[in-house]
Amino acid sequence: MVTIGDIARAAGVSRSTASYALSGKRSISAEVRQRVADAAQELGYTPNAGARALATSETMVIGLLARFHEDEFAPAMLQYMLGVSDTARELGYDTLLVTEADGTRALRRITRSRMVDGVVLLNVAQDDARLPLLRSAPQPGALVGLPGDPSGVDVFDLDFEAAGRLMVDHMHRLGHRELLLVSQPENVVERGGAYVWRLQGAVVQQARARGIELHAVFGESRQPAVGRSLHALLDAHPTATGLLLNNEAAAAALPSVLHARGLEAPRDLSVIGRYSDEFARTFSLPFSSIESAPDLLGEMAVRQLVRRITTPGARNEPHVLRLLQPELIDRGSTAPPASGNPG
Amino acid sequence: MVTIGDIARAAGVSRSTASYALSGKRSISAEVRQRVADAAQELGYTPNAGARALATSETMVIGLLARFHEDEFAPAMLQYMLGVSDTARELGYDTLLVTEADGTRALRRITRSRMVDGVVLLNVAQDDARLPLLRSAPQPGALVGLPGDPSGVDVFDLDFEAAGRLMVDHMHRLGHRELLLVSQPENVVERGGAYVWRLQGAVVQQARARGIELHAVFGESRQPAVGRSLHALLDAHPTATGLLLNNEAAAAALPSVLHARGLEAPRDLSVIGRYSDEFARTFSLPFSSIESAPDLLGEMAVRQLVRRITTPGARNEPHVLRLLQPELIDRGSTAPPASGNPG
DNA sequence: CTGAAAGCGCTTACAG
DNA sequence: CTGAAAGCGCTTACAG
């Protein structure tokens, strides 16, 4: 392998001069700088990452801890991952992807061994076991997802409570008085998926405040269970005129369910989901939705993380808790309720 | 940070003895070994990855080069990524995820800087610009996807030609005599997506051999274009009785299209797709399909890569080219053609 | 069975 | 503006 010693020799200077010439960290005569640059170019020099990390205590790598559960809709996760990975690269960082089931073990490994300069956690739970570890790690951490205790880390998430209220108010304004809500599967809640009950709680409360009758259920994450549960819900509440979805799998399954029942949105049922526009386009979802902005959230998390890594003193600044205000993307799937019973 | 010097001091031995005690690379008295283990445990010692990499020339990280194009269906990629990442971890490796658009630049960076011990390439093109670079890299490489020139790397892929023949023969056996084939978007082919024409070529040839009339088109990757193109295809060939799909987005969109036309599979149209069972369950796809086995292919690639990394001499063994024989998962979407015209 | 020392390839005070 | 040297934290021949 070609080392900085090779460059130095080729350029006829010392290794330190070669290093400084390449980094620009001290003034070097134009001529020497050119000779070093030429040598590096010619020999195809790239600094050894391990050696540099050892010398500088910086790896230029951020850790991305994702987790995939059988009962969650994996494709939605990919967009967060890409938001993180693309932004990291833009800022000069590579991304160590960790999908290990035991997140605490993984986090301990990559922080203690100094494989990463910082960590982004996805799919954060209310009482996330990875958090105490992350707080005591020497590297800063950023979360996509709001935990019960957000101290010691930077947190970015959609404002799911505002999202719930927005869904209800939008339906209320159109004249709906009986709504259905399909949340994520109950297992997600039991694992501490706080965003599920944050949205659901807000929907329940806002429905009560607006005098709306609400039927809320946990959904499923897989066919055929998803479809069955949607059918069962529609069977059980034939007079409901609006459907709210905080469940990507249910959203993906809904078109078929509506077709099978001879229903159309918004003619027979108004529908609002909660997913990204990217998701909607990929999966052909014709429903208006609260934008979940996974790429933006991933990007914000990485930008803040890198700020903390690179800015002197930023390590001690107060931590950020930023909740994105929800936005409703209108795809024409809501309208005033029909007078008749679509049953 | 706690270093091996701290452990040595705590255990009252030299640093080299501490290192050997932890690695087990030479015999150490049971008593010393225990003292060192206790000290490491107590102080929470984890070797510094950079230092270890510098000393051993092994990073215990593999690079995963994925790429996402606007006109490809991203969720399918995720399964390959997880197959790679999970298997790597199982074998003691972490995964550096690279999603950079400029794959050659990325590959040069991570191989030259010795950030990784080996590289897995996804989404390999016929004349993939990353390949010459990978061949000349000091680290071994494994591909998921068959390029025009598979020399110098280990290659794993589905046997798309056999898959095409299997699709046609299955339909032929049932009595179908006019088939439709929807491939990936033309852009994918233009970029060198060889699997598209490998399957398509085999389908064309086998159809001819069996006396089947075939209408093959490139599909789309996004709504609403996907749906429109499926409708157009069905409009154009009302007498076709079978539909073959080598396009995940088209498969995901097909249920809605069939519903809209009042068609049912297999009553009015027999359908065979090409995607994974995981994909089918996630996206509620009721069609029989050739299993694309992304997790298995990712796993095979990593196992072989790690073999080459770790086994002495394996670096020089002849390279592997393994094409997975296609398997048809029957989900009941094919049957003998109806006598009438489903128009 | 154990220790002192060299070396991996960088960066960066220290000295001129 | 440049060079010689120390040091980052490991591993592993070399020596006993």
Side-chain angles (χ1 to χ4, degrees):
Chain A
M1 79 170 299
V2 32
T3 73
I4 196 156
D6 299 326
I7 305 305
R9 199 173 318 116
V13 297
S14 71
R15 297 193 306 148
S16 60
T17 298
S19 175
Y20 282 121
L22 289 170
S23 70
K25 286 192 184 171
R26 79 176 178 192
S27 39
I28 298 280
S29 72
E31 193 214 323
V32 166
R33 197 180 323 126
Q34 192 57 51
R35 283 215 311 272
V36 171
D38 289 350
Q41 169 72 32
E42 197 159 330
L43 301 181
Y45 171 69
T46 306
N48 180 293
R52 170 173 276 183
L54 188 56
T56 63
S57 300
E58 282 195 359
T59 63
M60 301 309 286
V61 174
I62 67 164
L64 172 57
L65 266 77
R67 39 181 181 184
F68 295 86
H69 292 109
E70 177 68 18
D71 53 4
E72 276 174 305
F73 198 64
M77 187 68 66
L78 178 60
Q79 302 174 68
Y80 292 93
M81 291 168 49
L82 292 180
V84 167
S85 158
D86 289 342
T87 305
R89 183 84 295 272
E90 185 194 326
L91 300 178
Y93 287 77
D94 275 297
T95 301
L96 193 76
L97 171 66
V98 182
T99 57
E100 195 170 355
D102 186 345
T104 45
R105 219 171 70 103
L107 187 57
R108 193 175 298 128
R109 182 180 69 252
I110 68 172
T111 56
R112 284 200 183 160
S113 68
R114 299 295 204 283
M115 298 180 80
V116 298
D117 294 337
V119 175
V120 174
L121 257 51
L122 298 184
N123 212 341
V124 175
Q126 173 74 7
D127 188 21
D128 200 303
R130 300 171 298 181
L131 269 179
L133 216 62
L134 184 53
R135 287 195 194 97
S136 66
Q139 299 96 336
L143 316 188
V144 176
L146 174 64
D149 174 7
S151 69
V153 289
D154 295 308
V155 176
F156 301 86
D157 203 356
L158 180 66
D159 188 335
F160 280 90
E161 298 181 1
R165 289 193 296 269
L166 179 53
M167 286 173 155
V168 171
D169 282 349
H170 184 88
M171 291 294 202
H172 180 260
R173 215 171 297 123
L174 289 169
H176 295 270
R177 295 299 176 261
E178 184 180 0
L179 296 178
L180 307 173
L181 168 65
V182 176
S183 294
Q184 298 285 39
E186 194 161 10
N187 273 339
V188 175
V189 175
E190 283 165 3
R191 268 203 314 273
Y195 70 99
V196 179
W197 68 73
R198 279 195 284 140
L199 185 139
Q200 179 163 331
V203 164
V204 166
Q205 193 173 354
Q206 196 75 348
R208 194 176 303 136
R210 298 282 184 253
I212 286 176
E213 186 179 348
L214 175 77
H215 311 285
V217 298
F218 298 114
E220 301 284 340
S221 63
R222 297 267 177 173
Q223 285 292 88
V226 187
R228 273 202 305 260
S229 82
L230 284 169
H231 276 297
L233 181 66
L234 294 171
D235 284 343
H237 305 287
T239 54
T241 57
L243 174 60
L244 311 179
L245 301 169
N246 185 25
N247 179 320
E248 292 93 346
L254 187 59
S256 298
V257 169
L258 293 184
H259 269 298
R261 304 177 73 90
L263 300 182
E264 261 182 39
R267 191 192 63 195
D268 309 306
L269 190 70
S270 286
V271 178
I272 305 178
R274 192 275 312 148
Y275 43 75
S276 71
D277 185 56
E278 172 74 16
F279 192 85
R281 289 190 301 138
T282 305
F283 297 122
S284 330
L285 302 186
F287 313 116
S288 300
S289 74
I290 305 280
E291 173 65 41
S292 56
D295 39 3
L296 179 56
L297 285 166
E299 174 176 345
M300 295 192 329
V302 171
R303 288 199 185 279
Q304 172 65 10
L305 186 65
V306 169
R307 229 186 78 72
R308 264 193 210 280
I309 293 170
T310 57
T311 310
R315 224 50 90 90
N316 303 315
E317 284 174 12
H319 286 92
V320 167
L321 169 49
R322 175 111 188 260
L323 297 184
L324 217 55
Q325 283 317 294
E327 206 172 317
L328 183 66
I329 311 276
D330 187 354
R331 296 191 187 85
S333 66
T334 63
S339 42
N341 177 337
Chain B
M1 82 170 299
V2 32
T3 74
I4 197 157
D6 300 324
I7 305 303
R9 198 172 318 117
V13 296
S14 72
R15 298 192 307 149
S16 61
T17 298
S19 176
Y20 282 121
L22 290 171
S23 72
K25 287 191 182 169
R26 79 177 177 194
S27 37
I28 299 281
S29 71
E31 193 214 322
V32 165
R33 196 181 323 125
Q34 192 57 52
R35 283 215 310 272
V36 171
D38 289 349
Q41 170 72 34
E42 198 160 329
L43 301 181
Y45 172 70
T46 306
N48 180 293
R52 172 174 273 181
L54 187 56
T56 62
S57 299
E58 283 195 356
T59 64
M60 301 308 286
V61 174
I62 66 164
L64 171 57
L65 266 79
R67 40 181 181 183
F68 296 84
H69 292 109
E70 177 67 19
D71 53 4
E72 274 175 306
F73 197 64
M77 187 68 66
L78 177 60
Q79 302 174 68
Y80 292 93
M81 291 168 50
L82 292 181
V84 167
S85 158
D86 288 341
T87 305
R89 182 85 293 273
E90 184 194 327
L91 299 177
Y93 287 78
D94 276 297
T95 301
L96 194 76
L97 171 66
V98 182
T99 57
E100 195 170 354
D102 186 345
T104 45
R105 218 171 70 104
L107 188 56
R108 193 175 298 128
R109 183 180 67 251
I110 69 172
T111 55
R112 283 201 183 161
S113 68
R114 299 295 205 282
M115 297 180 81
V116 297
D117 294 338
V119 175
V120 174
L121 257 50
L122 298 184
N123 212 343
V124 176
Q126 173 73 8
D127 187 21
D128 200 303
R130 301 171 297 181
L131 269 178
L133 215 62
L134 184 55
R135 286 195 194 94
S136 66
Q139 298 96 335
L143 317 188
V144 177
L146 174 64
D149 174 7
S151 70
V153 289
D154 294 309
V155 176
F156 301 86
D157 204 356
L158 180 66
D159 188 334
F160 279 90
E161 298 181 0
R165 289 192 297 270
L166 180 53
M167 286 174 156
V168 171
D169 282 349
H170 184 88
M171 291 294 203
H172 180 259
R173 216 172 297 124
L174 288 169
H176 295 270
R177 295 299 176 261
E178 183 180 0
L179 296 178
L180 308 173
L181 168 64
V182 176
S183 294
Q184 297 286 41
E186 193 160 12
N187 273 339
V188 176
V189 175
E190 283 165 2
R191 267 203 314 274
Y195 71 98
V196 179
W197 69 73
R198 280 195 283 139
L199 186 139
Q200 178 163 333
V203 164
V204 167
Q205 193 173 358
Q206 197 75 347
R208 194 177 301 135
R210 298 281 184 255
I212 286 176
E213 186 178 348
L214 175 76
H215 311 284
V217 297
F218 297 113
E220 301 284 341
S221 63
R222 296 267 177 170
Q223 284 292 89
V226 186
R228 274 203 303 261
S229 82
L230 284 169
H231 277 296
L233 181 66
L234 293 171
D235 284 343
H237 306 287
T239 54
T241 57
L243 173 60
L244 310 179
L245 302 169
N246 186 25
N247 179 319
E248 293 93 345
L254 187 60
S256 298
V257 169
L258 293 185
H259 268 298
R261 304 176 72 90
L263 300 181
E264 260 181 39
R267 192 193 62 194
D268 310 306
L269 190 70
S270 285
V271 178
I272 304 178
R274 193 272 316 148
Y275 43 76
S276 70
D277 186 53
E278 172 74 17
F279 192 84
R281 289 189 302 137
T282 303
F283 297 120
S284 331
L285 302 184
F287 314 115
S288 300
S289 74
I290 305 281
E291 173 65 40
S292 57
D295 40 2
L296 179 56
L297 286 166
E299 174 176 345
M300 296 192 327
V302 171
R303 287 197 185 281
Q304 172 65 12
L305 186 65
V306 169
R307 229 185 78 72
R308 266 195 207 277
I309 293 170
T310 57
T311 311
R315 223 52 90 93
N316 303 314
E317 284 174 11
H319 286 92
V320 167
L321 169 50
R322 175 109 186 264
L323 297 183
L324 216 57
Q325 283 316 294
E327 205 172 319
L328 184 68
I329 311 276
D330 188 354
R331 297 193 185 84
S333 67
T334 63
S339 42
N341 178 337

